[in-house]
Amino acid sequence: MPVEPAPRAPTARSASRLRMTGYAALQVLLFVPTLLAFVLCAVGGALSLVVLGLPLLAIGMPLLRWTAQRHRVMAARCLGIEVPPGPRRTPPGEPLYGRLMLWARDPMTWRELAWALASITIGFTVSLAFLVLFLGIVTGLVWWYGTEPIMRGRARLDLMFLAYGRTERLEQRVAELTETRADVVDHAAAELRRIERDLHDGAQARLVALSMSLGLAEEAFATDPERARALVNDARTTTSAALTDLRNVVRGIHPPVLADRGLAGAVQALALDLPLPVEVEASLPGRPPAPVESALYFTIAECLANIGKHSGAGNAWVLMRHRDGILQAIVGDDGAGGADPGAGTGMLGVMRRLAAFDGTMTVASPVGGPTIVTLEVPCALSSPKTAPSSVSD
Amino acid sequence: MRLVLAEDSALLRVGLTQLLESRGFEILHAVDNAAALDEALADPAAEAAVLDVRMPPTFTDEGLRAAITAREARPGFPVMVLSQYVEALYARELFASGTGAVGYLLKDRVSDVAEFAEGVRRVASGGTVLDPEVVAAVMARRHEEPLERLTPREREVLAQMAEGRSNAAIAQRMVVTEKAVAKHINAIFTKLDLPVDEDDHRRVRAVLAWLRV
């Protein structure tokens, strides 16, 4: 995920006094859910050692998320800044236990817990005191001059817990980059090993066989021309097989049609090779950088191959477009659904490759279908290539 | 028959020249890049062309583009396109450039000298020759119209027709009589709604319908 711009930069006008007062009222009202969430999480967390706490956490955590997010938005509005990013999103369909583990690993969860404690004590007191001041209209002056400093103070306190600082964001980014870089290196090494193995077991072995056939044929010419002819014929068959092997290796490295026609043309070619009708729609005014193009191509190829193999779909479609600096490819089918994006090493490999470019993949595949895979990679498109056959000059 | 030959690898160009000349073809021009190819194709003495897909200057698909351009300038100009790899997409584009007189083969097929020369001859006389690899890829799309209407046996015959085989050759491969093949072919023509025409044209049209162009 790309680093968000520093949230301190004022982007929106901060809320008015009246609105801030409304927020204070809301914050007082949210005291109960926040308290409830905190208690549920604290007790649930303590009891989770004996499994009993898990249902409590299952209720408490989403509640905590919700009230924290409300406060995050209010605090950002009070300060007139963009709403800072919250906790990591948990993938839909993840089982309860997996979700809890993801929550536990996310530092934001612990920040939210700490925040809840601060919110039900200091925060609540501040908002309540302010409201009381406001309701006692006699102190109208206090309201006029006090609203902004008080509410901003409370907002800063909330955001201290609910938003990461600059250093933390950079640390997270470094951790992400380290992880994706390691993945890319692993992936590249695995690819090289695969290519080496394919060449060794395929074309290389066949060339050895070919050379043997020709050697035997050379000897047989004098004594048994009929046998020599058969050997030469064998040699020819072996050559064809070796060429087929080489073609497959080349396709696996960089498909020629991708070099010739770019992403749109190459996906069109993929679609033609599939046993079901695939509609391809592309509005790409240029070509993405070659490594991104190749990573996207192989990811789409993997998606389409999975559709052909597993989905039982009658129709599929691919939509490619570029907007707001993001190249988006959507692959859909009308099959049975229930697809698991994590299953299969092929899909994991292409996802890692995509991640190196900050690319993301989201899969929506309810049981009963349809399955829709959305791939997004931030990148710029080069200006459209001029027709390569500049034959007129 | 006078041919234009385009192939950027010197080794293959010389090889192909020898091979074709040994089979009674005359190589009018043997060129190694797209610009020279365009000039050669403008020669009115040329009767057909054998082209490589990937050539200088960009090493992408200039051979294919040159073939399509040449057929726009001279409708029905016979072109045999050779490539290190075949794509159903390119086959479709090539076959869409007018009816018949088109071939699209993997370079490896050249090793069967007799069949390759026969293929060039068939293309020059208005027929079609499609690489078995493309045929297999298109065959995999069995759910689609108009293929759906054909029986498996008829599909097999149609695939062989696409590869450019004669009735006799198809009969021999499928181990049936030529009469049986002719029967299948007539059934194919009827199912694909192809009007009565000179036999060769209907064959080409059947292949085109099957490629969905």
Side-chain angles (χ1 to χ4, degrees):
Chain A
M1 215 204 299
V3 162
E4 277 79 11
R8 304 284 148 182
T11 49
R13 261 192 59 215
S14 57
S16 66
R17 280 184 192 82
L18 211 57
R19 187 170 268 245
M20 283 191 190
T21 311
Y23 285 163
L26 213 58
Q27 282 164 350
V28 170
L29 289 178
L30 280 174
F31 168 76
V32 179
T34 309
L35 179 65
L36 189 64
F38 181 76
V39 172
L40 280 174
C41 288
V43 177
L47 288 181
S48 66
L49 295 172
V50 287
V51 184
L52 235 138
L54 293 183
L56 295 182
L57 282 176
I59 304 166
M61 283 304 309
L63 188 61
L64 180 64
R65 288 267 134 112
W66 178 78
T67 136
Q69 183 59 27
R70 297 282 74 71
H71 279 84
R72 205 175 272 124
V73 173
M74 282 191 279
R77 297 254 169 82
C78 281
L79 295 172
I81 59 173
E82 249 177 63
V83 180
R88 279 181 219 138
R89 232 167 262 177
T90 36
E94 183 79 25
L96 174 65
Y97 185 69
R99 246 182 306 161
L100 288 177
M101 288 309 286
L102 284 175
W103 282 336
R105 269 202 296 267
D106 188 347
M108 188 49 92
T109 305
W110 303 100
R111 279 168 160 269
E112 282 179 350
L113 267 175
W115 164 82
L117 195 57
S119 172
I120 51 182
T121 51
I122 312 170
F124 173 65
T125 316
V126 169
S127 299
L128 189 65
F130 170 72
L131 263 193
V132 170
L133 284 179
F134 171 61
L135 288 174
I137 286 293
V138 251
T139 52
L141 259 178
V142 176
W143 177 71
W144 184 261
Y145 291 106
T147 306
E148 284 196 14
I150 293 173
M151 287 310 288
R152 289 215 173 144
R154 154 112 222 224
R156 290 217 174 83
L157 176 76
D158 282 344
L159 285 191
M160 221 169 74
F161 292 102
L162 293 180
Y164 292 114
R166 185 178 156 73
T167 317
E168 278 163 306
R169 283 205 316 281
L170 288 176
E171 276 171 1
Q172 282 172 8
R173 181 64 177 157
V174 169
E176 257 169 43
L177 289 179
T178 312
E179 193 183 321
T180 51
R181 188 178 64 169
D183 279 351
V184 168
V185 171
D186 280 355
H187 179 67
E191 279 290 277
L192 284 179
R193 273 198 303 280
R194 182 183 62 78
I195 293 165
E196 186 272 335
R197 211 170 37 238
D198 285 355
L199 286 176
H200 180 267
D201 299 348
Q204 219 171 356
R206 292 194 201 278
L207 286 176
V208 171
L210 168 69
S211 138
M212 247 159 49
S213 298
L214 287 176
L216 289 171
E218 199 175 24
E219 278 181 10
F221 267 123
T223 53
D224 186 354
E226 208 38 55
R227 178 168 154 67
R229 193 185 305 278
L231 283 166
V232 169
N233 195 37
D234 278 356
R236 200 157 58 81
T237 318
T238 313
T239 316
S240 273
L243 284 167
T244 306
D245 281 341
L246 282 176
R247 256 197 307 278
N248 289 336
V249 172
V250 168
R251 267 187 219 275
I253 300 171
H254 192 76
V257 67
L258 182 60
D260 294 357
R261 296 292 173 88
L263 196 56
V267 171
Q268 189 88 52
L270 268 180
L272 275 182
D273 287 344
L274 235 66
L276 69 162
V278 182
E279 202 176 312
V280 180
E281 209 181 305
S283 53
L284 304 175
R287 284 180 77 160
V292 174
E293 189 175 69
S294 172
L296 257 177
Y297 170 84
F298 280 107
T299 314
I300 295 173
E302 190 68 31
C303 293
L304 287 177
N306 282 344
I307 291 175
K309 265 184 275 176
H310 308 302
S311 74
N315 283 287
W317 43 270
V318 182
L319 174 68
M320 287 171 282
R321 61 188 171 193
H322 186 265
R323 55 183 185 199
D324 303 330
I326 290 179
L327 179 52
Q328 192 181 44
I330 303 170
V331 186
D333 70 71
D334 62 358
D340 178 7
T345 50
M347 198 48 107
L348 280 181
V350 290
M351 273 165 75
R352 281 157 136 203
R353 220 172 134 175
L354 212 58
F357 304 102
D358 288 326
T360 56
M361 169 191 263
T362 32
V363 180
S365 184
V367 173
T371 299
I372 293 171
V373 181
T374 309
L375 309 168
E376 286 183 324
V377 188
C379 71
L381 296 188
S382 65
S383 55
K385 208 174 72 164
T386 40
S389 52
S390 50
V391 279
S392 51
D393 50 42
Chain B
M1 180 170 301
R2 289 184 294 269
L3 299 179
V4 169
L5 174 67
E7 164 63 63
D8 63 310
S9 149
L11 206 63
L12 273 174
R13 191 169 60 247
V14 172
L16 275 171
T17 307
Q18 281 176 2
L19 189 154
L20 286 166
E21 279 177 349
S22 77
R23 290 278 156 170
F25 292 96
E26 183 191 332
I27 305 297
L28 201 57
H29 304 281
V31 298
D32 66 354
N33 66 74
L37 171 60
D38 249 28
E39 260 172 54
L41 286 174
D43 185 346
E47 290 171 284
V50 176
L51 311 175
D52 180 18
V53 167
R54 188 172 276 207
M55 268 189 298
T58 65
F59 294 98
T60 58
D61 55 357
E62 30 276 287
L64 187 76
R65 287 163 196 266
I68 293 169
T69 319
R71 284 164 62 81
E72 271 164 21
R74 282 169 74 175
F77 180 70
V79 177
M80 170 69 94
V81 175
L82 297 179
S83 180
Q84 223 40 285
Y85 66 99
V86 287
E87 287 288 344
L89 179 71
Y90 291 177
R92 226 162 115 167
E93 290 176 7
L94 257 180
F95 279 66
S97 66
T99 307
V102 181
Y104 184 42
L105 285 180
L106 272 176
K107 274 188 188 164
D108 334 0
R109 313 291 179 210
V110 172
S111 68
D112 192 335
V113 182
E115 200 170 318
F116 174 64
E118 176 53 32
V120 175
R121 208 154 268 141
R122 190 168 307 123
V123 167
S125 61
T128 57
V129 178
L130 192 53
D131 196 89
E133 203 170 285
V134 182
V135 171
V138 181
M139 272 320 245
R141 303 166 63 81
R142 58 197 173 278
H143 306 299
E144 273 179 36
E145 285 282 325
L147 269 183
E148 224 170 24
R149 276 178 264 166
L150 305 182
T151 65
R153 203 70 172 156
E154 285 160 3
R155 271 180 229 159
E156 211 177 312
V157 171
L158 182 54
Q160 304 256 1
M161 276 163 67
E163 286 177 29
R165 291 183 208 293
S166 64
N167 288 12
I170 296 174
Q172 198 192 340
R173 284 218 163 198
M174 293 180 63
V175 205
V176 290
T177 61
E178 243 181 272
K179 223 171 137 190
V181 172
K183 217 181 102 203
H184 284 312
I185 292 179
N186 268 323
I188 293 169
F189 288 161
T190 314
K191 286 186 183 174
L192 299 184
D193 298 323
L194 295 171
V196 180
D197 194 343
E198 192 205 325
D199 203 23
D200 246 11
H201 274 200
R202 281 177 103 190
R203 283 179 96 90
V204 170
R205 273 203 200 116
V207 173
L208 289 178
W210 175 69
L211 266 175
R212 293 199 312 152
V213 294

